[in-house]
Short mmCIF file of all heavy atoms in Angstrom, two decimals:
data_model
loop_
_atom_site.label_atom_id
_atom_site.label_comp_id
_atom_site.label_asym_id
_atom_site.label_seq_id
_atom_site.Cartn_x
_atom_site.Cartn_y
_atom_site.Cartn_z
N VAL A 9 -9.02 14.09 -6.04
CA VAL A 9 -9.81 13.37 -6.97
C VAL A 9 -10.48 14.34 -7.95
O VAL A 9 -11.28 15.17 -7.51
CB VAL A 9 -10.88 12.51 -6.21
CG1 VAL A 9 -11.68 11.69 -7.25
CG2 VAL A 9 -10.18 11.59 -5.16
N GLY A 10 -10.17 14.15 -9.23
CA GLY A 10 -10.77 15.05 -10.26
C GLY A 10 -9.67 16.01 -10.74
O GLY A 10 -9.22 16.92 -10.05
N ALA A 11 -9.18 15.78 -12.00
CA ALA A 11 -8.15 16.57 -12.57
C ALA A 11 -8.84 17.53 -13.63
O ALA A 11 -8.54 17.54 -14.83
CB ALA A 11 -7.03 15.76 -13.25
N GLY A 12 -9.83 18.31 -13.07
CA GLY A 12 -10.55 19.27 -13.91
C GLY A 12 -10.06 20.70 -13.59
O GLY A 12 -9.01 20.90 -13.06
N LEU A 13 -10.94 21.64 -13.83
CA LEU A 13 -10.62 23.05 -13.67
C LEU A 13 -10.16 23.33 -12.22
O LEU A 13 -9.21 24.05 -12.02
CB LEU A 13 -11.89 23.88 -13.93
CG LEU A 13 -11.86 24.72 -15.25
CD1 LEU A 13 -11.62 23.81 -16.36
CD2 LEU A 13 -13.21 25.44 -15.39
N ALA A 14 -10.82 22.78 -11.19
CA ALA A 14 -10.48 23.07 -9.82
C ALA A 14 -9.42 22.16 -9.24
O ALA A 14 -8.49 22.52 -8.51
CB ALA A 14 -11.70 23.01 -8.95
N GLY A 15 -9.48 20.77 -9.63
CA GLY A 15 -8.53 19.82 -9.11
C GLY A 15 -7.14 20.07 -9.49
O GLY A 15 -6.18 19.88 -8.70
N VAL A 32 -6.09 11.80 -9.17
CA VAL A 32 -6.72 10.82 -10.09
C VAL A 32 -7.91 11.38 -10.80
O VAL A 32 -8.61 12.37 -10.27
CB VAL A 32 -7.26 9.58 -9.29
CG1 VAL A 32 -6.10 8.86 -8.51
CG2 VAL A 32 -8.32 9.90 -8.28
N ASP A 33 -8.15 10.98 -12.04
CA ASP A 33 -9.33 11.34 -12.76
C ASP A 33 -9.87 10.22 -13.61
O ASP A 33 -9.12 9.35 -14.04
CB ASP A 33 -8.94 12.54 -13.76
CG ASP A 33 -10.23 13.20 -14.19
OD1 ASP A 33 -10.93 12.68 -15.08
OD2 ASP A 33 -10.51 14.31 -13.67
N GLN A 34 -11.14 10.10 -13.68
CA GLN A 34 -11.75 8.99 -14.41
C GLN A 34 -11.47 9.06 -15.90
O GLN A 34 -11.55 8.04 -16.64
CB GLN A 34 -13.23 8.94 -14.16
CG GLN A 34 -14.03 10.07 -14.62
CD GLN A 34 -15.53 9.96 -14.35
OE1 GLN A 34 -15.94 9.03 -13.64
NE2 GLN A 34 -16.27 10.90 -14.85
N HIS A 35 -11.15 10.29 -16.40
CA HIS A 35 -10.90 10.44 -17.89
C HIS A 35 -9.45 10.38 -18.17
O HIS A 35 -8.63 11.00 -17.46
CB HIS A 35 -11.57 11.65 -18.44
CG HIS A 35 -13.07 11.53 -18.45
ND1 HIS A 35 -13.83 12.51 -17.98
CD2 HIS A 35 -13.86 10.51 -19.01
CE1 HIS A 35 -15.05 12.15 -18.18
NE2 HIS A 35 -15.19 10.97 -18.77
N ARG A 49 -15.61 25.35 -24.86
CA ARG A 49 -16.27 26.00 -23.68
C ARG A 49 -15.25 26.88 -22.94
O ARG A 49 -14.06 26.52 -22.93
CB ARG A 49 -16.76 24.92 -22.66
CG ARG A 49 -18.03 24.26 -23.12
CD ARG A 49 -19.25 24.86 -22.57
NE ARG A 49 -19.25 25.21 -21.14
CZ ARG A 49 -19.69 24.40 -20.22
NH1 ARG A 49 -20.21 23.18 -20.51
NH2 ARG A 49 -19.72 24.74 -18.89
N CYS A 50 -15.60 27.97 -22.41
CA CYS A 50 -14.69 28.76 -21.70
C CYS A 50 -15.27 29.45 -20.46
O CYS A 50 -16.47 29.31 -20.18
CB CYS A 50 -14.10 29.83 -22.65
SG CYS A 50 -15.23 30.88 -23.37
N THR A 51 -14.35 29.95 -19.67
CA THR A 51 -14.73 30.47 -18.33
C THR A 51 -14.02 31.86 -18.08
O THR A 51 -12.83 32.00 -18.44
CB THR A 51 -14.18 29.52 -17.24
OG1 THR A 51 -14.78 28.18 -17.49
CG2 THR A 51 -14.47 29.88 -15.84
N ALA A 52 -14.82 32.82 -17.56
CA ALA A 52 -14.21 34.08 -17.26
C ALA A 52 -13.69 34.07 -15.79
O ALA A 52 -14.37 33.74 -14.91
CB ALA A 52 -15.21 35.15 -17.44
N ILE A 53 -12.43 34.48 -15.64
CA ILE A 53 -11.89 34.62 -14.32
C ILE A 53 -11.56 36.14 -14.07
O ILE A 53 -11.02 36.86 -14.90
CB ILE A 53 -10.67 33.73 -14.05
CG1 ILE A 53 -9.54 34.03 -15.12
CG2 ILE A 53 -11.07 32.26 -14.07
CD1 ILE A 53 -8.20 33.38 -14.66
N ASN A 109 -11.58 26.08 -21.44
CA ASN A 109 -11.57 24.99 -20.34
C ASN A 109 -10.66 23.87 -20.77
O ASN A 109 -9.87 23.39 -20.01
CB ASN A 109 -13.00 24.47 -20.18
CG ASN A 109 -13.91 25.53 -19.56
OD1 ASN A 109 -13.54 26.72 -19.38
ND2 ASN A 109 -15.04 25.13 -19.17
N VAL A 113 -7.21 22.51 -18.97
CA VAL A 113 -7.03 21.16 -18.45
C VAL A 113 -5.74 20.55 -19.10
O VAL A 113 -4.91 19.95 -18.38
CB VAL A 113 -8.30 20.29 -18.63
CG1 VAL A 113 -8.04 18.92 -18.41
CG2 VAL A 113 -9.42 20.91 -17.74
N ARG A 117 -2.57 19.61 -16.91
CA ARG A 117 -2.32 18.17 -16.79
C ARG A 117 -0.86 17.87 -17.19
O ARG A 117 -0.19 17.07 -16.54
CB ARG A 117 -3.29 17.34 -17.62
CG ARG A 117 -4.61 17.16 -16.91
CD ARG A 117 -5.35 15.90 -17.47
NE ARG A 117 -6.61 15.82 -16.83
CZ ARG A 117 -7.47 14.84 -17.05
NH1 ARG A 117 -7.11 13.80 -17.84
NH2 ARG A 117 -8.65 14.74 -16.43
N CYS A 132 -9.15 6.28 -13.73
CA CYS A 132 -9.65 5.60 -12.50
C CYS A 132 -10.40 6.54 -11.55
O CYS A 132 -10.15 7.75 -11.62
CB CYS A 132 -8.51 4.87 -11.81
SG CYS A 132 -7.25 5.83 -11.12
N ALA A 133 -11.25 5.91 -10.75
CA ALA A 133 -12.03 6.68 -9.87
C ALA A 133 -11.87 6.08 -8.45
O ALA A 133 -11.22 5.05 -8.29
CB ALA A 133 -13.51 6.55 -10.30
N VAL A 134 -12.52 6.69 -7.43
CA VAL A 134 -12.43 6.19 -6.08
C VAL A 134 -13.62 5.19 -5.90
O VAL A 134 -14.75 5.50 -6.24
CB VAL A 134 -12.57 7.31 -5.05
CG1 VAL A 134 -12.76 6.76 -3.64
CG2 VAL A 134 -11.34 8.24 -5.10
N ALA A 163 -12.54 16.98 -6.01
CA ALA A 163 -12.84 18.00 -7.03
C ALA A 163 -13.36 17.22 -8.19
O ALA A 163 -12.99 17.47 -9.35
CB ALA A 163 -11.61 18.77 -7.40
N ASP A 164 -14.26 16.26 -7.97
CA ASP A 164 -14.75 15.35 -8.95
C ASP A 164 -16.10 15.77 -9.50
O ASP A 164 -16.91 14.89 -9.93
CB ASP A 164 -14.71 13.90 -8.52
CG ASP A 164 -15.43 13.64 -7.16
OD1 ASP A 164 -15.66 14.64 -6.49
OD2 ASP A 164 -15.69 12.43 -6.89
N GLY A 165 -16.35 17.06 -9.47
CA GLY A 165 -17.48 17.62 -10.25
C GLY A 165 -18.86 17.47 -9.54
O GLY A 165 -18.94 17.00 -8.37
N VAL A 166 -19.94 17.90 -10.27
CA VAL A 166 -21.14 18.05 -9.63
C VAL A 166 -21.77 16.68 -9.15
O VAL A 166 -22.44 16.66 -8.10
CB VAL A 166 -22.15 18.75 -10.64
CG1 VAL A 166 -22.42 17.95 -11.87
CG2 VAL A 166 -23.39 19.15 -9.93
N ASN A 167 -21.44 15.62 -9.78
CA ASN A 167 -21.93 14.31 -9.42
C ASN A 167 -20.88 13.55 -8.56
O ASN A 167 -20.77 12.36 -8.64
CB ASN A 167 -22.32 13.45 -10.61
CG ASN A 167 -23.41 14.11 -11.36
OD1 ASN A 167 -24.39 14.56 -10.82
ND2 ASN A 167 -23.29 14.17 -12.67
N SER A 168 -20.19 14.30 -7.74
CA SER A 168 -19.03 13.80 -6.99
C SER A 168 -19.31 12.43 -6.36
O SER A 168 -20.24 12.32 -5.45
CB SER A 168 -18.68 14.79 -5.89
OG SER A 168 -17.77 14.22 -5.01
N SER A 169 -18.54 11.43 -6.71
CA SER A 169 -18.69 10.14 -6.03
C SER A 169 -18.05 10.13 -4.67
O SER A 169 -18.49 9.44 -3.77
CB SER A 169 -18.21 8.99 -6.88
OG SER A 169 -16.86 9.18 -7.14
N VAL A 170 -17.01 10.98 -4.46
CA VAL A 170 -16.42 11.08 -3.11
C VAL A 170 -17.49 11.69 -2.15
O VAL A 170 -17.61 11.22 -1.05
CB VAL A 170 -15.18 11.98 -3.16
CG1 VAL A 170 -14.63 12.21 -1.77
CG2 VAL A 170 -14.05 11.28 -4.06
N ALA A 187 -29.51 26.92 -20.23
CA ALA A 187 -28.60 27.81 -20.83
C ALA A 187 -28.28 27.27 -22.22
O ALA A 187 -27.90 26.02 -22.37
CB ALA A 187 -27.36 27.94 -20.03
N LEU A 189 -25.59 27.25 -25.02
CA LEU A 189 -24.19 27.55 -25.08
C LEU A 189 -23.73 27.49 -26.56
O LEU A 189 -24.00 26.48 -27.24
CB LEU A 189 -23.41 26.58 -24.29
CG LEU A 189 -23.80 26.35 -22.89
CD1 LEU A 189 -22.98 25.29 -22.17
CD2 LEU A 189 -23.82 27.57 -22.00
N LEU A 215 -18.70 36.54 -24.10
CA LEU A 215 -17.30 36.65 -23.66
C LEU A 215 -16.40 36.72 -24.77
O LEU A 215 -16.47 35.90 -25.69
CB LEU A 215 -16.85 35.46 -22.70
CG LEU A 215 -17.66 35.29 -21.38
CD1 LEU A 215 -17.20 34.04 -20.72
CD2 LEU A 215 -17.45 36.50 -20.50
N VAL A 225 -23.38 32.54 -23.41
CA VAL A 225 -24.22 31.70 -22.53
C VAL A 225 -25.58 32.49 -22.43
O VAL A 225 -25.65 33.65 -22.00
CB VAL A 225 -23.67 31.62 -21.11
CG1 VAL A 225 -24.64 30.86 -20.13
CG2 VAL A 225 -22.22 31.05 -21.11
N ILE A 268 -27.90 23.19 -21.61
CA ILE A 268 -27.81 22.54 -20.28
C ILE A 268 -28.94 23.13 -19.35
O ILE A 268 -29.25 24.30 -19.44
CB ILE A 268 -26.40 22.74 -19.63
CG1 ILE A 268 -26.03 24.23 -19.50
CG2 ILE A 268 -25.27 21.99 -20.33
CD1 ILE A 268 -24.91 24.50 -18.53
N LEU A 270 -30.41 24.67 -15.93
CA LEU A 270 -29.80 25.51 -14.94
C LEU A 270 -30.28 25.19 -13.53
O LEU A 270 -31.48 25.31 -13.28
CB LEU A 270 -30.06 27.02 -15.21
CG LEU A 270 -29.31 27.52 -16.45
CD1 LEU A 270 -29.64 28.88 -16.85
CD2 LEU A 270 -27.76 27.42 -16.25
N LEU A 286 -14.37 20.58 -3.17
CA LEU A 286 -13.88 21.77 -3.87
C LEU A 286 -14.62 21.84 -5.26
O LEU A 286 -14.87 20.89 -5.88
CB LEU A 286 -12.36 21.67 -4.07
CG LEU A 286 -11.71 22.89 -4.70
CD1 LEU A 286 -11.67 24.05 -3.67
CD2 LEU A 286 -10.20 22.57 -5.08
N GLY A 287 -14.90 23.15 -5.67
CA GLY A 287 -15.42 23.36 -6.99
C GLY A 287 -16.87 22.80 -7.00
O GLY A 287 -17.67 22.86 -6.06
N ASN A 288 -17.23 22.30 -8.20
CA ASN A 288 -18.59 21.78 -8.41
C ASN A 288 -19.06 20.70 -7.44
O ASN A 288 -20.21 20.54 -7.15
CB ASN A 288 -18.78 21.28 -9.80
CG ASN A 288 -18.95 22.41 -10.85
OD1 ASN A 288 -19.09 23.54 -10.49
ND2 ASN A 288 -18.90 22.05 -12.11
N ALA A 289 -18.05 19.99 -6.92
CA ALA A 289 -18.36 18.95 -5.92
C ALA A 289 -19.04 19.63 -4.68
O ALA A 289 -19.85 19.06 -3.97
CB ALA A 289 -17.13 18.11 -5.54
N ARG A 291 -20.36 23.02 -4.71
CA ARG A 291 -21.53 23.75 -5.14
C ARG A 291 -21.42 24.09 -6.60
O ARG A 291 -20.39 24.49 -7.08
CB ARG A 291 -21.75 25.03 -4.26
CG ARG A 291 -20.85 26.15 -4.42
CD ARG A 291 -21.02 27.16 -3.38
NE ARG A 291 -20.92 26.65 -2.02
CZ ARG A 291 -19.75 26.33 -1.49
NH1 ARG A 291 -18.57 26.55 -2.18
NH2 ARG A 291 -19.66 25.87 -0.31
N LEU A 292 -22.55 23.90 -7.27
CA LEU A 292 -22.70 24.32 -8.66
C LEU A 292 -23.63 25.51 -8.68
O LEU A 292 -24.74 25.37 -8.19
CB LEU A 292 -23.28 23.18 -9.49
CG LEU A 292 -23.64 23.49 -10.93
CD1 LEU A 292 -22.33 23.40 -11.77
CD2 LEU A 292 -24.69 22.47 -11.52
N LEU A 293 -23.19 26.65 -9.23
CA LEU A 293 -24.03 27.85 -9.18
C LEU A 293 -24.60 28.10 -10.56
O LEU A 293 -24.13 27.66 -11.57
CB LEU A 293 -23.20 29.05 -8.75
CG LEU A 293 -22.50 28.93 -7.39
CD1 LEU A 293 -21.62 30.17 -7.13
CD2 LEU A 293 -23.48 28.78 -6.33
N PRO A 295 -24.76 30.22 -13.84
CA PRO A 295 -23.57 30.84 -14.45
C PRO A 295 -23.63 32.33 -14.55
O PRO A 295 -22.64 32.97 -14.95
CB PRO A 295 -23.48 30.27 -15.82
CG PRO A 295 -24.87 29.75 -16.15
CD PRO A 295 -25.52 29.33 -14.74
N ALA A 297 -23.08 36.06 -14.12
CA ALA A 297 -22.05 36.90 -13.57
C ALA A 297 -20.72 36.05 -13.38
O ALA A 297 -19.79 36.59 -12.78
CB ALA A 297 -22.45 37.51 -12.21
N GLY A 298 -20.72 34.81 -13.89
CA GLY A 298 -19.44 34.03 -13.90
C GLY A 298 -18.70 33.96 -12.49
O GLY A 298 -17.61 34.38 -12.36
N GLN A 299 -19.41 33.44 -11.53
CA GLN A 299 -18.82 33.45 -10.25
C GLN A 299 -18.32 32.09 -9.67
O GLN A 299 -17.49 32.11 -8.82
CB GLN A 299 -19.91 33.93 -9.15
CG GLN A 299 -20.40 35.36 -9.42
CD GLN A 299 -19.39 36.38 -8.94
OE1 GLN A 299 -18.72 36.21 -7.90
NE2 GLN A 299 -19.23 37.44 -9.73
N GLY A 300 -18.81 30.99 -10.26
CA GLY A 300 -18.60 29.66 -9.68
C GLY A 300 -17.08 29.31 -9.54
O GLY A 300 -16.62 28.93 -8.47
N PHE A 301 -16.36 29.44 -10.59
CA PHE A 301 -14.99 29.02 -10.59
C PHE A 301 -14.10 29.96 -9.80
O PHE A 301 -13.14 29.58 -9.14
CB PHE A 301 -14.48 28.83 -12.04
CG PHE A 301 -13.08 28.28 -12.15
CD1 PHE A 301 -12.79 27.13 -11.46
CD2 PHE A 301 -12.10 28.97 -12.81
CE1 PHE A 301 -11.51 26.55 -11.45
CE2 PHE A 301 -10.83 28.39 -12.79
CZ PHE A 301 -10.48 27.24 -12.13
N ASN A 302 -14.41 31.24 -9.95
CA ASN A 302 -13.72 32.26 -9.08
C ASN A 302 -13.91 31.94 -7.62
O ASN A 302 -12.89 32.10 -6.84
CB ASN A 302 -14.27 33.63 -9.43
CG ASN A 302 -13.84 34.12 -10.77
OD1 ASN A 302 -12.63 34.40 -11.04
ND2 ASN A 302 -14.81 34.25 -11.74
N LEU A 303 -15.05 31.56 -7.25
CA LEU A 303 -15.30 31.23 -5.84
C LEU A 303 -14.50 29.95 -5.43
O LEU A 303 -13.91 29.88 -4.34
CB LEU A 303 -16.77 30.94 -5.56
CG LEU A 303 -17.18 30.58 -4.15
CD1 LEU A 303 -17.00 31.73 -3.20
CD2 LEU A 303 -18.70 30.19 -4.13
N ALA A 304 -14.45 28.99 -6.41
CA ALA A 304 -13.67 27.69 -6.07
C ALA A 304 -12.13 28.09 -5.85
O ALA A 304 -11.54 27.53 -4.99
CB ALA A 304 -13.80 26.77 -7.19
C1 LIG B 401 -22.37 27.47 -18.77
C2 LIG B 401 -21.44 27.79 -17.63
C3 LIG B 401 -20.66 28.88 -17.59
C4 LIG B 401 -19.74 29.15 -16.61
N1 LIG B 401 -18.96 30.27 -16.69
C5 LIG B 401 -18.22 30.60 -15.62
C6 LIG B 401 -17.42 31.76 -15.64
O1 LIG B 401 -17.44 32.47 -16.63
N2 LIG B 401 -16.74 32.03 -14.59
C7 LIG B 401 -16.70 31.22 -13.46
O2 LIG B 401 -16.01 31.58 -12.44
N3 LIG B 401 -17.37 30.09 -13.42
C8 LIG B 401 -18.13 29.77 -14.50
N4 LIG B 401 -18.86 28.59 -14.47
C9 LIG B 401 -18.60 27.64 -13.30
C10 LIG B 401 -17.47 26.66 -13.67
O3 LIG B 401 -17.64 26.01 -14.85
C11 LIG B 401 -17.24 25.69 -12.51
O4 LIG B 401 -16.94 26.41 -11.35
C12 LIG B 401 -15.99 24.68 -12.83
O5 LIG B 401 -16.27 24.00 -13.95
C13 LIG B 401 -15.74 23.82 -11.64
O6 LIG B 401 -14.68 22.92 -11.97
P1 LIG B 401 -14.53 21.52 -11.27
O7 LIG B 401 -13.13 21.13 -11.53
O8 LIG B 401 -15.09 21.53 -9.90
O9 LIG B 401 -15.52 20.56 -12.01
P2 LIG B 401 -15.35 19.88 -13.52
O10 LIG B 401 -14.79 20.90 -14.37
O11 LIG B 401 -16.65 19.25 -13.81
O12 LIG B 401 -14.18 18.71 -13.29
C14 LIG B 401 -14.53 17.59 -12.60
C15 LIG B 401 -13.37 16.57 -12.92
O13 LIG B 401 -13.53 15.40 -12.15
C16 LIG B 401 -13.48 14.28 -12.97
N5 LIG B 401 -14.36 13.27 -12.36
C17 LIG B 401 -15.68 13.22 -12.35
N6 LIG B 401 -16.15 12.16 -11.69
C18 LIG B 401 -15.05 11.50 -11.23
C19 LIG B 401 -14.81 10.32 -10.52
N7 LIG B 401 -15.87 9.58 -10.02
N8 LIG B 401 -13.58 9.91 -10.24
C20 LIG B 401 -12.56 10.61 -10.72
N9 LIG B 401 -12.64 11.79 -11.45
C21 LIG B 401 -13.92 12.21 -11.68
C22 LIG B 401 -13.92 14.73 -14.38
O14 LIG B 401 -13.38 13.87 -15.39
C23 LIG B 401 -13.32 16.20 -14.38
O15 LIG B 401 -12.03 16.16 -14.92
C24 LIG B 401 -19.69 28.31 -15.47
C25 LIG B 401 -20.51 27.15 -15.46
C26 LIG B 401 -21.37 26.94 -16.51
C27 LIG B 401 -22.27 25.69 -16.46
#
Side-chain angles (χ1 to χ4, degrees):
V9 182
L13 254 55
V32 301
D33 196 285
Q34 65 181 5
H35 288 129
R49 284 268 310 269
C50 58
T51 301
I53 57 167
N109 295 8
V113 168
R117 277 202 185 184
C132 67
V134 172
D164 52 345
V166 66
N167 298 313
S168 169
S169 58
V170 173
L189 311 177
L215 295 177
V225 180
I268 56 164
L270 289 174
L286 185 70
N288 281 350
R291 68 190 60 73
L292 173 83
L293 302 177
Q299 296 283 323
F301 186 53
N302 288 291
L303 181 65

